[in-house]
């Protein structure tokens, strides 16, 4: 089981930026970010596989960027132009999916989860 620890959440005004990090211990293949707003289901935000293939959700495309340091086994999410609707708990996740042309987007495809970090965007 991979251990994942997120950091970097906080409170920001609309239009501001935040950067999230996720430190992984153990072998990781595909990694991703999900978020869950109050009263809503957890949703896919962005993912990156073992060879750098990326997938970004349409809801954040153009504002969020996902990157990964394979040497340090760390996942990043740069969030720009944040809006109140981005308020949620953000979760880092790891998947055993090793397919080079695929980035999984469903919860069931991810095996390990971090504890989550709160991101709050004020109007």
């Amino acid at each position: 089981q991979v251990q994942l620890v997120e950091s970097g959440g906080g409170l920001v005004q609309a239009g501001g930026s935040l950067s999230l990090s996720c430190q992984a211990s153990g072998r990781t293949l595909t990694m991703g970010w999900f978020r869950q707003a109050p009263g809503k289901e957890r949703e896919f935000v962005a993912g990156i596989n073992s060879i750098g293939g990326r997938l970004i959700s349409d809801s954040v495309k153009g504002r969020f960027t996902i990157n990964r340091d394979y040497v340090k086994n760390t996942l990043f999410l740069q969030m720009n132009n944040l809006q109140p609707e981005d308020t949620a708990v953000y979760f880092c996740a790891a998947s055993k999916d090793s397919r080079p042309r695929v980035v999984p987007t469903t919860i069931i495809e991810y095996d390990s989860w971090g504890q989550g970090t709160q991101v709050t965007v004020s109007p």
Side-chain angles (χ1 to χ4, degrees), residues 5-117:
V5 179
E6 302 100 335
S7 61
L11 173 65
V12 66
Q13 287 186 330
S17 299
L18 281 174
S19 180
L20 304 183
S21 299
C22 174
Q23 179 66 57
S25 60
R27 184 168 180 258
T28 54
L29 294 172
T30 292
M31 297 186 74
W33 290 99
F34 286 73
R35 67 185 182 184
Q36 188 165 16
K40 294 188 177 181
E41 294 187 351
R42 192 171 298 189
E43 64 173 358
F44 173 80
V45 175
I48 182 168
N49 64 21
S50 58
I51 61 168
R54 291 171 172 83
L55 185 64
I56 307 291
S57 167
D58 286 344
S59 62
V60 304
K61 194 171 292 183
R63 301 187 296 122
F64 291 14
T65 303
I66 187 170
N67 281 300
R68 187 171 174 180
D69 185 327
Y70 292 88
V71 174
K72 295 182 178 179
N73 212 7
T74 304
L75 181 70
F76 303 96
L77 185 69
Q78 177 64 40
M79 305 182 293
N80 297 326
N81 191 21
L82 283 159
Q83 300 300 315
E85 54 265 33
D86 296 315
T87 295
V89 177
Y90 283 70
F91 296 90
C92 173
S95 169
K96 294 185 176 68
D97 196 321
S98 61
R99 293 174 290 173
R101 293 183 177 85
V102 173
V103 176
T105 62
T106 64
I107 294 171
I108 197 171
E109 295 175 286
Y110 287 80
D111 315 284
S112 302
W113 293 84
Q115 81 287 353
T117 185

